[in-house]
Amino acid sequence: MIEKKREPARWIFAKELRDTSLTIMEGDDEARKEYFITPAGSFGRRILFCGKITQKKEENEMTKMTVADHTGAFYVTFFSKEFNQNTKIQIERVNENDEVMIVGRTTYFKTNEGKMYININPETVRNISETDTEYWKVRCALSLNSRLAAIREIRKSQDIDDKHLGDLGFTQDEARGCIKASELYEGYNMGQLEEIIAGMSVYQFSDTAIKLREKVMDIIRENNPFGGITYEQILEKLSKEGVEPRQLDETLNLLGTDGEIFEAEKRKFKAI
Amino acid sequence: MESSKNLKIAEIKGEVMEINVKAKILSLSKREVQSAKGPLTYHYGLIGDETGVMPFTAWSFPTTVRENDVYEISKCYTKSYKEKLRIYFDNRTEFKLLTETMEVKRTYKYYEIKDLNLNDKFVTVEGLVTSENRREYEKDGEKKEVFQYILKDQTATIPLSSFGKKLEAGKYARIEGARLDEFNGYYRLNMSDKANVEYINIDLKDEEKIMDIVNLRGAVGGITVTGFIINMGEKSGLVVRCSECNLKVDDIRCSDHPEAPLKYDIFTYFTIDDGTDYLQVSAGFEALKEIANINREYLDNPQRPPLKKEVKEKIESALTHHALKIKGNLRINNMGISLRSTEISAITEDLVKSLKTEINGGSN
Ligand SMILES: [Zn+2]
């Protein structure tokens, strides 16, 4: 599957990485390597992402950081070694609440129950501007959007091959990754990833969503100390005012797009 | 039994069974694939006659059939493959070698400039004809002239040399039968006075098209990419050149021009990643001056010659790990494709906004 001179860094949202529960082994015996494969068909061993540092802790030779984009959090762990002192200097320069761009290797941790966590081992960490972050978000959305479209094509006709996807305009990586992902994540519901795209497309939010914005934000913020608040709980708090799920969805999308909130767990929201 | 029909290539329309053609084999290749019944060998290529050209696939093929020979081919059929009509030969097809010559009508496939590639050397292209330059040369004791242009379409630019035929600069032309080649790592087009030129009334929109790195193919110009600069070459920074020959001087003087004074210049090379792939980029003074805030006065100041470390830091802090927009010309070498930048700028909010319009809501 991978035959490139150098492994590219994949650009993916936190949500897509968090939904990743599988890896694939590629290459011959000695060069055998473990690649993540996301439900939306991105695969690799290195990612590039942007976001805000929400937490940074140093213990001895180890630094742990949580970096949030508008869809969730990335978990970054750095071990200071002789060969990575350049990265160490870069990490020392960044602080909580900084916007950063990180390139890092993925490492995998599986629990006994079979749940997989992906940790990022940073190679590059750098403060960036908000515009740079916005740029990353848009490019990421375009990439995700394209791969979701490939998966929809694959689901339409099972015997579609990478050649055919190529004719439809998908890149080789997209075609291969999406075919593999469709096989491996058969029942995966793409709804939430599609919502991320919908939330980012140039779309006029309704007056209701804009009016609800502050109220929903307050509810979420109040619940941050308790680890966030679920969708159902927010809806319940708003039910007296006759707010419908559709309106809440739109408001949450609006807040997500503006980078005010993120999903801390499945359907559980926190303020950034 | 149904009798077969004699057809010219241009007369073949849609999927038909049992036809006969008289045609020349223009190209012939062999391919082996794995089928359920084991390895399968087939041939493919192009055939043509005086009316046109068509691709073929041969499931079975006499070993005596050769490129550039003319045959009477009977009992073949056509099928549409990937929306393109192909002619098929199987074990019922008969080939009869003819001794006659045949002038094949060439049709040249149309390419957007960004998609040009050396696998297809005779092409149809379109674009605005710009920057005319006339040159004379001598061939076989005869004076000849060549007109040089830059052809620019919506996707990219490419140098075009027209031998013996002056084009109308400033107009949008469609050129059939231009020949593509590579010189010094860059693509260029050549055309003779026999190439067919038509002028079309099209206003080329002056908008910048941002390319995905993964889609870059040939060594064409006028390309714009965006991305994060992920690492910078060790030797980036201040360079010293000979004022006479402009070559880089590693020693204290130029070996060819030891008397010539030296001058300072800047140069950098780095990798840019846009999420689809990455690309090597090089940049000199013109591309760097604004973004790195380095001007000629700074480099030429005899009171305070530029410091190596300072220059490197200026370039590094302006470029490394930032998201940038880069314009330039693609070049091919043995390492693959790289970009020589002519312009480097920061990603602006407006650019993000315009990229955003390309996202079209989730499901469809
Ligand atoms: Zn010299």
Side-chain angles (χ1 to χ4, degrees), chain B residues 130-247:
Chain B
T130 67
S131 61
E132 185 173 81
N133 186 13
R134 181 179 168 276
R135 206 163 54 80
E136 274 180 11
Y137 66 103
E138 233 170 82
K139 197 184 171 192
D140 307 327
E142 236 183 291
K143 255 206 181 127
K144 305 214 166 186
E145 53 184 355
V146 56
F147 299 90
Q148 293 165 319
Y149 305 92
I150 301 287
L151 191 70
K152 178 183 195 302
D153 74 2
Q154 208 62 256
T155 69
T157 65
I158 189 167
L160 167 71
S161 296
S162 175
F163 291 86
K165 186 174 191 163
K166 188 176 155 71
L167 302 182
E168 291 183 43
K171 285 199 171 168
Y172 193 93
R174 180 180 175 88
I175 301 163
E176 284 174 22
R179 185 171 52 84
L180 179 70
D181 71 2
E182 185 193 314
F183 179 74
N184 189 27
Y186 297 103
Y187 280 7
R188 56 181 193 183
L189 288 168
N190 302 289
M191 56 177 275
S192 71
D193 52 2
K194 287 188 196 72
N196 185 27
V197 181
E198 238 180 278
Y199 294 96
I200 312 173
N201 202 358
I202 288 181
D203 273 332
L204 192 64
K205 269 178 270 157
D206 199 23
E207 64 185 24
E208 181 169 67
K209 196 177 152 80
I210 290 167
M211 298 279 297
D212 284 351
I213 292 172
V214 71
N215 291 330
L216 302 176
R217 294 269 173 280
V220 296
I223 293 287
T224 305
V225 296
T226 59
F228 278 97
I229 310 308
I230 49 176
N231 55 47
M232 183 166 288
E234 277 298 312
K235 289 179 184 153
S236 293
L238 196 65
V239 288
V240 184
R241 293 186 192 282
C242 164
S243 60
E244 187 78 27
C245 65
N246 212 30
L247 288 178

Side-chain angles (χ1 to χ4, degrees), chain A residues 97-142:
Chain A
N97 291 318
D98 283 0
E99 286 289 335
V100 290
M101 186 276 281
I102 295 181
V103 181
R105 287 273 186 194
T106 47
T107 55
Y108 318 102
F109 170 72
K110 280 170 199 148
T111 64
N112 291 336
E113 291 78 45
K115 171 126 184 65
M116 185 173 86
Y117 293 94
I118 298 182
N119 184 65
I120 296 138
N121 196 340
E123 298 166 322
T124 297
V125 179
R126 170 78 178 237
N127 275 316
I128 55 165
S129 69
E130 243 172 76
T131 311
D132 283 6
T133 303
E134 282 303 308
Y135 165 75
W136 173 80
K137 274 164 69 175
V138 174
R139 294 284 319 190
C140 245
L142 288 168

Side-chain angles (χ1 to χ4, degrees), chain B residues 46 84 107-127 151-158 172-180 187 189 217-218 220:
Chain B
L46 287 174
K84 263 186 98 172
T107 51
Y108 304 103
K109 194 175 158 196
Y110 167 73
Y111 286 90
E112 286 191 321
I113 293 173
K114 74 170 168 59
D115 292 328
L116 288 169
N117 66 84
L118 294 172
N119 293 328
D120 204 351
K121 292 203 173 100
F122 288 90
V123 295
T124 296
V125 286
E126 286 180 11
L151 191 70
K152 178 183 195 302
D153 74 2
Q154 208 62 256
T155 69
T157 65
I158 189 167
Y172 193 93
R174 180 180 175 88
I175 301 163
E176 284 174 22
R179 185 171 52 84
L180 179 70
Y187 280 7
L189 288 168
R217 294 269 173 280
V220 296

Side-chain angles (χ1 to χ4, degrees), chain A residues 4-6 11 50 101 124 126 128 131-132 135 138-139 142 145 152 163 167 171 194 197 200-202, chain B residues 82 212 214 226-227 230-231 273-278 317 320-323 347 356 359-362 364:
Chain A
K4 279 234 150 128
K5 45 226 156 143
R6 188 195 126 140
W11 296 24
C50 297
M101 186 276 281
T124 297
R126 170 78 178 237
I128 55 165
T131 311
D132 283 6
Y135 165 75
V138 174
R139 294 284 319 190
L142 288 168
N145 201 24
R152 281 192 292 271
K163 196 89 189 36
D167 291 341
T171 68
E194 282 169 344
I197 306 285
M200 288 185 65
S201 66
V202 185
Chain B
K82 284 180 192 158
D212 284 351
V214 71
T226 59
I230 49 176
N231 55 47
D273 182 328
D274 74 350
T276 69
D277 208 340
Y278 56 88
S317 73
T320 316
H321 306 146
H322 293 299
I347 297 278
K356 214 165 184 175
I359 308 175
N360 43 16
N364 53 14

Side-chain angles (χ1 to χ4, degrees), chain B residues 241-249 253-258 260-262:
Chain B
R241 293 186 192 282
C242 164
S243 60
E244 187 78 27
C245 65
N246 212 30
L247 288 178
K248 221 174 117 187
V249 177
R253 57 179 69 88
C254 175
S255 51
D256 294 334
H257 312 97
L262 301 177

